[in-house]
Amino acid sequence: MSLIEVLVHTSLAEGLGWSLLHSLWEGALVAAVLAAVLWATKSPRIRYVASCLAMLAILCGFALTMIHVMPGDGQHVRAVETLPYSTWDGRGSADASDISNPGLAGIVPWLTPFWMLGVSLLYLSHVAGWFSVCRLRHRGVCYAPDRWQQTLSRLSAQLRVSRPIRLLESCLTEAPVVLGHFRPVILMPVGLLAGLPVAQVEAILLHELAHIRRYDYLVNLLQRSVEGLLFYHPAIWWITRVIRTERENCCDDVAVAMSGDAHEYAVALATLEQNRWSSREPAVAVTGGNLVKRIRRLLHREGPAGSWVPILAATILFATTAAVLAAWQSNPPQPNPAGVQRRAAEIALESPYLKWLDEDVVHIISKEESTAFLKLPTNEEREEFIQQFWLRRDPTPKTAANEFREEHYRRITYANARYATSHKSGWMTNRGRMYVQLGPPDLVEAWPSGGVDGIPFETWIYRSVKGTKGSQSFVFKDTRRTGDYQLVPNKKAR
C-alpha cells in the first residue's frame, strides 16, 4: 500500500475531504453576500473591510466544518454507515467478498492529497517570492537625497506614522513599493524622484505611507496565507482581487485628501504607468491596466459602482453550487418505496418483535422475509413465522435442538462481549456483523500497535465460505483509535 493510499484511509483525509467539498457552497454563499455589499456601496473603506471579513468568514467556515465532520461521535464522516459487503443469509446466496462501490464517500478522501500538494506548491512559491523581495532591500539600492528623507519625515508626521522609515532608490523596481512591517522601507525607481514634480512625488510618498499606517504589508501576508489554504476556490481569487483593488483605492484617497489635488496625483499615476510599460507594448496601459482604473476613479468619482459585480458573484455561486450538486448526485441513492411501508408497519409492530427483526436476525434475514414479516397483522402469525424461520435453517429438523439458532445466538453473545465499544453493541460493529454472518475466522492476524502507518488493524481469513471459491480475507482498521474497527473498502479476496 502506497503512502497516498495510507493517507486516504485515515479519518483526517475523510474530514478534510468533506470540509473541502462543503467549503465550495459556503464560499459561494459568502461571495454572493459580498457582491451585494459591493454593489450597494462605493466607499473603498467599506468595500475593503467587507472583502477582508468575507475571506475570514470562508476560512472560519472551513475550520468549523472540519471540526464538525472530524471523527468524534462517528456519525459525520461516513456518509453510509452500512458495511461495504452484502448481507449473507446463512445459505450462501450472496458473495461475502463482494464490496460495493463506496460512491462519493470513497472519492472524497482522495481530495485531501491533491489539496495538500496544491497548498505545498503555493506556499513554496510564496516563500521563494518572499526571499526575492527581501533581496530588494540590499541589491541595487542607494539612499535617497537628504531633502527627500526630510520630506518623508514631514509627511510621516502628518499621517501620524511613528515608525522609522527608510527611503531608498532601486534599479530593480518599476514602481514605488513598501517592504516590511516592523522596519518598513519605501523603494522608489531610480530617477523617479528627480524626474517628477515635487507635488507628484509627495503624493506618491503619501500613498506609500498610507500602506504603512494601515498595516497593509502584514495584512497582505495573512491574505496570501489564506489564498494558499483555499487556492481551489474561485471565490477566494475574486475576493483577493477585490481586496487588492480596494486597498489601493483607500491609499489613493488618503494621498488625495492630504495633498488636496486629485488631478496632480492622477498625473503622477499616469507617469508611473508610462514608465512602467515604456519598454513593452504601449497599448496594454491604454486598454485599462490597474493604474488606469484608479486614475478614472479619481477623476470621475460619480461613476457607478459597477453592474458586473453581482453578475460575477452570481456566476460563482451557481457554478460552485452546481459542482457540489453534480458530485452529490454522482452516485444517487437508490429509491426505496418500501421504506414508507416499513415505517408504517413498525409503528404497529410490538417492541419484542421489532427487536427480533432489527437486532436478533438483522444480519441473516433476507429482504423478502423481512417484508413478509412486517405485513403480518397478528402476533400469532408472527410467532408462527419466527418458528418457521428457524426451522428452515435447522440442519437437523427431526431433533429437538436447533443447532443453527443456538450457534447464531452464541455468535451474538460473543460479538457483544468481544467487539463492543463505548457507543456500540458488539453485533452492530463491522467485526461483529462479520462474525455473526460468517462465524469465527480460520485465522486472525492482529496488529494492535499498528503497521507502517501506525493504525491498528486486523486481517480475518476464511478458508471456505459458502457460495465463494477459495479463501477470503478481510482487513479491519481502527483509524479513529476508538476500538471500532472498520472494514477497509474494496479489499479484495486473496
Side-chain angles (χ1 to χ4, degrees):
M1 181 178 290
S2 66
L3 181 61
I4 294 180
E5 291 177 332
V6 171
L7 172 64
V8 167
H9 287 101
T10 62
S11 58
L12 176 62
E14 283 189 288
L16 276 174
W18 284 112
S19 301
L20 294 170
L21 191 63
H22 284 299
S23 68
L24 292 176
W25 67 265
E26 293 171 351
L29 184 61
V30 172
V33 175
L34 174 62
V37 175
L38 298 181
W39 180 78
T41 181
K42 292 185 291 184
S43 171
R45 295 182 61 182
I46 296 178
R47 293 161 70 93
Y48 176 77
V49 172
S51 301
C52 292
L53 291 177
M55 176 173 285
L56 183 61
I58 297 177
L59 179 63
C60 291
F62 176 80
L64 292 176
T65 301
M66 187 167 61
I67 293 174
H68 180 69
V69 302
M70 286 299 289
D73 53 9
Q75 64 181 357
H76 298 298
V77 174
R78 293 276 183 187
V80 181
E81 188 63 24
T82 57
L83 289 178
Y85 55 83
S86 56
T87 303
W88 179 57
D89 62 5
R91 296 170 294 172
S93 60
D95 184 355
S97 66
D98 181 23
I99 299 176
S100 62
N101 181 8
L104 186 61
I107 297 174
V108 164
W110 286 92
L111 299 176
T112 299
F114 291 102
W115 173 79
M116 295 176 66
L117 177 61
V119 172
S120 301
L121 292 177
L122 280 176
Y123 277 178
L124 286 175
S125 175
H126 291 341
V127 171
W130 182 78
F131 279 111
S132 178
V133 168
C134 288
R135 285 196 294 268
L136 292 177
R137 285 174 169 263
H138 311 289
R139 296 179 57 185
V141 297
C142 63
Y143 281 96
D146 292 339
R147 68 186 186 92
W148 286 115
Q149 297 285 356
Q150 297 172 2
T151 300
L152 180 64
S153 300
R154 174 174 56 82
L155 297 177
S156 299
Q158 292 180 6
L159 282 178
R160 298 179 182 177
V161 178
S162 58
R163 281 171 290 174
I165 304 169
R166 290 191 299 166
L167 180 62
L168 303 177
E169 291 187 281
S170 172
C171 61
L172 300 179
T173 60
E174 298 179 334
V177 63
V178 173
L179 302 181
H181 171 69
F182 297 104
R183 294 183 300 171
V185 174
I186 298 179
L187 298 182
M188 300 289 283
V190 171
L192 187 65
L193 296 177
L196 291 181
V198 174
Q200 295 182 14
V201 174
E202 289 186 355
I204 293 173
L205 290 176
L206 285 170
H207 177 96
E208 302 306 324
L209 287 171
H211 281 304
I212 298 174
R213 179 185 177 184
R214 290 163 38 85
Y215 305 101
D216 284 340
Y217 186 85
L218 181 61
V219 173
N220 186 61
L221 289 179
L222 299 176
Q223 177 184 340
R224 293 177 71 85
S225 300
V226 177
E227 288 177 14
L229 289 174
L230 304 175
F231 70 93
Y232 59 90
H233 207 308
I236 287 295
W237 295 104
W238 171 61
I239 293 174
T240 56
R241 191 172 69 230
V242 173
I243 290 176
R244 291 189 175 96
T245 299
E246 300 305 330
R247 177 186 298 148
E248 297 300 322
N249 291 338
C250 290
C251 294
D252 286 344
D253 288 349
V254 172
V256 171
M258 297 299 296
S259 65
D261 192 343
H263 183 270
E264 191 72 16
Y265 181 61
V267 172
L269 293 180
T271 304
L272 286 176
E273 185 74 352
Q274 182 179 2
N275 292 338
R276 182 179 178 184
W277 297 98
S278 59
S279 60
R280 306 181 187 183
E281 183 180 352
V284 174
V286 175
T287 55
N290 187 40
L291 282 178
V292 173
K293 292 181 180 180
R294 290 161 58 187
I295 292 171
R296 290 173 179 171
R297 173 182 169 274
L298 291 171
L299 299 180
H300 305 282
R301 291 180 174 270
E302 68 279 7
S307 58
W308 61 270
V309 173
I311 296 176
L312 177 60
T315 302
I316 294 175
L317 176 62
F318 287 127
T320 52
T321 304
V324 173
L325 291 178
W328 222 280
Q329 296 300 323
S330 61
N331 188 21
Q334 298 296 325
N336 184 19
V340 178
Q341 298 178 1
R342 174 180 171 86
R343 284 191 293 271
E346 287 176 350
I347 296 176
L349 201 61
E350 297 181 10
S351 57
Y353 299 105
L354 187 60
K355 177 182 179 298
W356 179 83
L357 180 65
D358 286 344
E359 296 185 19
D360 292 4
V361 298
V362 64
H363 295 327
I364 62 173
I365 193 170
S366 66
K367 293 182 180 180
E368 294 77 11
E369 289 174 321
S370 177
T371 302
F373 184 74
L374 288 171
K375 292 180 179 179
L376 298 177
T378 64
N379 289 341
E380 290 77 10
E381 292 176 305
R382 293 167 186 147
E383 291 290 345
E384 178 65 21
F385 180 95
I386 293 174
Q387 183 178 356
Q388 292 299 320
F389 175 86
W390 293 118
L391 186 61
R392 286 194 298 272
R393 290 161 171 78
D394 189 356
T396 57
K398 294 183 180 180
T399 61
N402 188 323
E403 294 82 1
F404 181 91
R405 180 174 58 187
E406 293 175 359
E407 171 63 13
H408 176 72
Y409 281 106
R410 185 200 67 79
R411 293 180 182 180
I412 292 179
T413 302
Y414 181 87
N416 288 335
R418 178 69 177 79
Y419 307 122
T421 67
S422 59
H423 60 283
K424 282 184 182 179
S425 299
W427 66 270
M428 298 174 63
T429 63
N430 283 204
R431 291 183 298 173
R433 180 174 178 175
M434 178 74 76
Y435 188 90
V436 171
Q437 288 183 320
L438 303 183
D442 296 297
L443 178 63
V444 176
E445 299 175 353
W447 299 86
S449 59
V452 178
D453 56 359
I455 299 177
F457 72 94
E458 291 183 2
T459 301
W460 288 19
I461 300 176
Y462 291 89
R463 296 195 177 94
S464 177
V465 177
K466 275 189 176 182
T468 64
K469 294 181 180 180
S471 63
Q472 310 291 326
S473 65
F474 303 91
V475 176
F476 302 87
K477 284 194 172 185
D478 186 14
T479 57
R480 305 168 190 172
R481 291 178 173 79
T482 60
D484 187 9
Y485 285 69
Q486 301 291 318
L487 182 67
V488 176
N490 297 326
K491 184 69 178 177
K492 299 298 183 182
R494 68 180 184 182

